[in-house]
Structure formats: structure tokens, C-alpha cells
Amino acid sequence: MATYEYLCSRCGSFDVKLAIGTAPKTYGCPVCADAARRVYSSPGLTLTSHAVAALHDREEQAREAPAVVSEVPPRRRVPRRPHPALSRLPRP
């Protein structure tokens, strides 16, 4: 989905989210229903880290096709290490 900007002569500018390449030259204003013309403006680009971009992509994929879990995963047992202070105690 892309965000397209339109300008109504009465109400001002407003944004519409449409599929890429399907934006018409004119669009009905949501306030007054008059024909508004499409305005070309600079795209809203941001610089994100690779980790944030990967997380965003994974979230988008999960929204469309969530992972299905058929059973509870097995519990992993973590071996417990003795407390370091116990090694200084006297041994019988």
C-alpha cells in the first residue's frame, strides 16, 4: 500500500492509501465529496537499522500469514550451577 496526497480546492490536502500504481488523477474529498487533484510530493523516507527493518518485515509477514503452532515446545532444562559463595565454605 502506498500513501497518495490529494488537494481539495475547498478543504485542503488529505492522504489516501491505495495499492501501488492504482491512484487516479482525481479523487473524491472525504469532507465535501468534491473532486480533488493528486499532488506529487517528496516520499517519506527514513533510515532504519537492519535489525529494525528485519523486525518490521517479520511483523508484516506475520500479519498476512501467522505461524501456526501445533504443540507446546519441549521445555529445555538449564543445568543449575552452584552459587560461587558455596565453594568457599568448609568441606566436611
Side-chain angles (χ1 to χ4, degrees):
M1 298 296 278
T3 303
Y4 295 98
E5 184 179 357
Y6 287 89
L7 181 64
C8 177
S9 58
R10 287 192 218 169
C11 307
S13 64
F14 60 93
D15 294 337
V16 178
K17 289 191 177 193
L18 299 169
I20 294 176
T22 62
K25 291 182 181 181
T26 60
Y27 195 84
C29 177
V31 178
C32 66
D34 198 13
R37 66 180 176 85
R38 183 173 167 195
V39 179
Y40 293 92
S41 58
S42 61
L45 301 176
T46 58
L47 298 175
T48 58
S49 68
H50 178 69
V52 172
L55 180 63
H56 182 63
D57 289 341
R58 198 166 59 222
E59 178 193 357
E60 293 264 335
Q61 289 173 355
R63 186 179 301 153
E64 296 297 322
V68 178
V69 179
S70 59
E71 62 183 32
V72 177
R75 185 175 181 186
R76 295 183 191 172
R77 299 209 80 159
V78 179
R80 297 184 89 192
R81 296 182 182 165
H83 194 274
L86 296 177
S87 64
R88 292 188 297 245
L89 291 175
R91 302 279 174 202

